[in-house]
Amino acid sequence: MTLSIHHIAVVVRDIEEALTLYRDALGLEMTERREVPDEYVEIAFLPAGEGEIELLRPLDQESGVARFLEKHGEGLHHVCLAVEDIESAMERLRAAGAQLLSEEPRVNEQGVRYAFVHPKSAHGVLLELYEE
């Protein structure tokens, strides 16, 4: 199973405010900003080396991301790993006893399949698997 870091997601209350650090002070270029209604978030991507930083803002106060932000405050939300074959990656994790947040991969609006690994199975870090 070949892995690489696809992105690191940082949950924020205000993307514009966060951009003053990540874009303006650090000089990272924002390549994409959009709302993802299915996930109840607004996202902004800023490439950094081989991966990206994803700024993540909840759109609905009842969403999982909003509950995370309320409980933990701003900061690291998840680490996303790119995988070649998501079914194989999910099966390997299940065989190792990891708890996945869905039985089957989800599909985003770009047609990319992804899945999340529960933080309890990843030493406190929410992991996302992203098929490339």
Side-chain angles (χ1 to χ4, degrees):
M1 177 167 48
T2 304
L3 299 174
S4 63
I5 293 180
H6 185 273
H7 65 265
I8 296 171
V10 178
V11 66
V12 299
R13 295 185 194 287
D14 182 326
I15 285 183
E16 279 303 318
E17 182 181 319
L19 285 171
T20 63
L21 173 73
Y22 290 96
R23 181 191 58 206
D24 303 341
L26 290 174
L28 297 174
E29 177 186 356
M30 181 178 61
T31 57
E32 181 178 5
R33 183 173 177 179
R34 63 186 163 85
E35 290 187 1
V36 183
D38 291 349
E39 300 287 338
Y40 306 104
V41 294
E42 177 185 13
I43 58 175
F45 279 104
L46 300 103
E50 297 295 317
E52 296 181 295
I53 293 176
E54 176 188 42
L55 301 178
L56 186 65
R57 180 184 72 86
L59 295 173
D60 181 327
Q61 295 310 311
E62 302 302 315
S63 71
V65 173
R67 289 191 306 271
F68 180 96
L69 180 60
E70 185 63 32
K71 183 176 181 180
H72 301 284
E74 294 183 307
L76 178 66
H77 183 263
H78 67 269
V79 174
C80 179
L81 300 172
V83 299
E84 294 173 357
D85 180 344
I86 197 159
E87 276 98 358
S88 293
M90 292 172 75
E91 185 55 40
R92 187 170 175 173
L93 286 163
R94 278 191 200 100
Q99 178 185 352
L100 301 173
L101 296 184
S102 61
E103 289 299 313
E104 299 294 326
R106 296 174 167 177
V107 180
N108 69 17
E109 55 199 29
Q110 287 82 29
V112 177
R113 299 182 319 153
Y114 66 100
F116 285 94
V117 179
H118 197 286
K120 290 179 182 176
S121 296
H123 304 276
V125 176
L126 177 63
L127 292 178
E128 179 181 12
L129 305 176
Y130 200 78
E131 187 174 64
E132 291 196 313

